[in-house]
Amino acid sequence: MRRTILHIAQSSEAGVARVVMDLAAGQCARGDQVIVACPVAGTLWWAAGRRGARVVRWDAVRSPGPALPREVAGVRRIVDSVRPDVVHLHSAKAGLAGRLAIRGRLPTVYQPHAWSFDAVSAAALRRATVRWERSGARWAHQVVCVSEGERAHGAAVGIRSRYTVVRNGVDLDWLTPPEASSRDAARQRLGVCGTGPLAVCVARLCRQKGQDVLLDAWAEVEERIPGAGLVLVGGGPDRSVLAARASPSVGFAGAVVDPRDWYLAADLVVLASRWEAGMALAPLEAMACSRPVVVTDVPGAREFLPPRHVPFAVVPLEDPGALAAAMARLLADPPTGRALGAEAGAHIRRHHDVRQVVERMYTVYDDARSVWEAGLHGRQDEREQRGRQGRWAKPISECRAGRSRGTAPETRRTAG
């Protein structure tokens, strides 16, 4: 059966964009009609089109604000034009505008890519964001989490929904190194001078990704390992602040479309995130390139690692000392780093092929449609019952459930 699948995303760069692009490419290859709605600015706009999707403009900004009514209206226009079989909402803003626009009238899948309330530091705003996620869950027929940790985190704050865990995958054809010893060749292509130990962080330069903590840790690494270098790959709002405090051994590569050479050039790939949905895509991509990683202990991160890697690879959140110790340990011991990298590559090839993600997502879409159809039949039965009871009779469900009517029961399923 050929489907029409509508992906909506405000995030047009980095990990979310990569997930949308990979899903769109796989679904187009299956013969489905895939539409991606996103802002014009960013790589997703042109990359999704190159992978076979039809791309439509959706003007949206990252944060909620005065533009929200216009963004909601934009989703309605796109949905009316496309008439999709399923709508897949990616990340917080599309989840907000999309659920307000559609309100469960079409099969709807919401994928948070990290819960929105984790990005909020003010207590009152965080409580309001949690309340919205609880309320908005009724308008998603499936909620996709990329780790069991992300699902448990949502359930712990009272978000009752129909959850499915589909762990992230990466494009192995794109990431497999053309040769085993590609480190020096990659450094030459990038213009990286020297052969000393090199740590690389591929991420948007923002508070979530914790590059400020990484720079604090790097000062200690420099003392332990003279000649070591660190490169921050990515753009973002915190670049100027980070650059002002960085030492001469820290480089800034800016945003790149293709980060593969940076993974291959690295002896270690590090990410000091304050929050994630599980394991971010960059460490998974680095592991696919047979590079060891060090990451923070965000919910779900351990699920993506071979068990013996956890003592080497996972450090507490916002702990520069622990982060420095983990980086120095691997940078000072190349044989261990290479062994961990080889094991990581084999692990990713077995468990995190993006083609597996594409297949699992079809099951999610089928489940979403089943839930939606059951809701349609339920509403039809309710209308018929009201007709039998008389024009002014109140539905039994309203009398019994009151304000809780429409709240989704929490269910749990793991698809990989």
Side-chain angles (χ1 to χ4, degrees):
M1 179 185 71
R2 187 170 188 259
R3 311 174 197 228
T4 299
I5 302 168
L6 172 61
H7 294 276
I8 304 179
Q10 184 278 327
S11 302
S12 299
E13 302 284 354
V16 174
R18 186 70 55 79
V19 169
V20 177
M21 287 186 283
D22 286 341
L23 284 174
Q27 291 161 357
C28 287
R30 287 274 299 260
D32 289 321
Q33 182 182 20
V34 180
I35 298 93
V36 175
C38 64
V40 174
T43 59
L44 181 57
W45 174 265
W46 58 266
R50 288 178 59 182
R51 297 190 178 203
R54 174 187 160 202
V55 185
V56 298
R57 179 171 180 168
W58 179 51
D59 292 320
V61 296
R62 180 178 292 269
S63 300
L68 182 59
R70 174 179 53 79
E71 294 161 347
V72 171
V75 171
R76 289 198 190 104
R77 286 194 297 271
I78 292 167
V79 169
D80 288 345
S81 172
V82 169
R83 301 178 66 84
D85 295 305
V86 63
V87 180
H88 192 153
L89 305 171
H90 295 269
S91 206
K93 177 47 86 63
L96 173 61
R99 285 180 287 177
L100 286 174
I102 301 167
R103 295 178 182 252
R105 290 188 287 265
L106 288 171
T108 302
V109 174
Y110 172 46
Q111 188 166 353
H113 298 277
W115 291 108
S116 56
F117 49 84
D118 283 334
V120 179
S121 54
L125 186 55
R126 179 183 172 88
R127 287 194 296 269
T129 307
V130 170
R131 284 196 298 270
W132 153 246
E133 290 290 359
R134 290 171 181 164
S135 175
R138 59 186 162 160
W139 292 325
H141 302 102
Q142 286 287 312
V143 172
V144 174
C145 295
V146 302
S147 68
E148 175 59 26
E150 183 187 19
R151 184 210 64 79
H153 190 35
V157 299
I159 301 171
R160 302 179 65 232
S161 190
R162 302 167 188 89
Y163 290 98
T164 299
V165 175
V166 181
R167 293 183 176 87
N168 280 335
V170 295
D171 186 342
L172 297 178
D173 294 335
W174 179 64
L175 287 164
T176 301
E179 53 183 286
S181 57
S182 53
R183 173 180 172 271
D184 292 340
R187 291 190 181 191
Q188 186 174 9
R189 288 191 295 270
L190 293 167
V192 175
C193 299
T195 58
L198 179 65
V200 170
C201 174
V202 179
R204 188 169 182 264
L205 304 182
C206 61
R207 181 176 178 275
Q208 176 191 0
K209 301 299 182 178
Q211 286 94 347
D212 56 329
V213 180
L214 177 54
L215 290 183
D216 289 340
W218 189 251
E220 186 174 336
V221 175
E222 287 181 298
E223 293 180 3
R224 296 189 189 188
I225 308 177
L230 170 67
V231 177
L232 305 185
V233 181
D238 290 356
R239 172 159 183 162
S240 60
V241 174
L242 294 168
R245 54 179 293 199
S247 72
S249 68
V250 179
F252 289 79
V256 298
V257 174
D258 186 344
R260 285 176 295 180
D261 273 346
W262 285 110
Y263 298 137
L264 297 175
D267 297 293
L268 172 68
V269 174
V270 59
L271 189 60
S273 299
R274 288 181 166 91
W275 69 89
E276 293 286 353
M279 179 76 82
L281 278 184
L284 288 179
E285 291 174 347
M287 292 166 68
C289 293
S290 298
R291 295 300 182 263
V293 300
V294 170
V295 297
T296 45
D297 199 7
V298 295
R302 295 167 182 251
E303 299 172 38
F304 291 81
L305 292 164
R308 96 169 188 96
H309 288 216
V310 171
F312 295 92
V314 179
V315 299
L317 274 68
E318 299 188 87
D319 187 337
L323 181 59
M327 288 191 291
R329 179 183 186 183
L330 290 175
L331 290 174
D333 186 359
T336 297
R338 286 192 294 269
L340 291 174
E343 292 174 8
H347 179 79
I348 295 299
R349 285 188 289 275
R350 283 195 302 269
H351 300 292
H352 295 286
D353 188 331
V354 74
R355 287 169 289 203
Q356 298 169 346
V357 176
V358 172
E359 291 303 315
R360 291 165 185 158
M361 206 60 76
Y362 279 108
T363 302
V364 172
Y365 294 164
D366 289 342
D367 289 347
R369 185 166 190 88
S370 295
V371 172
W372 173 75
E373 288 176 343
L376 284 183
H377 295 317
R379 287 191 292 273
Q380 178 63 33
D381 292 344
E382 185 177 278
R383 284 193 294 269
E384 291 175 358
Q385 183 178 12
R386 292 181 71 175
R388 289 193 296 271
Q389 290 174 337
R391 182 179 178 185
W392 304 110
K394 195 173 185 179
I396 292 174
S397 58
E398 287 186 16
C399 297
R400 185 175 298 151
R403 293 178 60 186
S404 66
R405 179 172 175 259
T407 300
E410 181 186 335
T411 62
R412 171 184 170 188
R413 210 158 75 82
T414 299

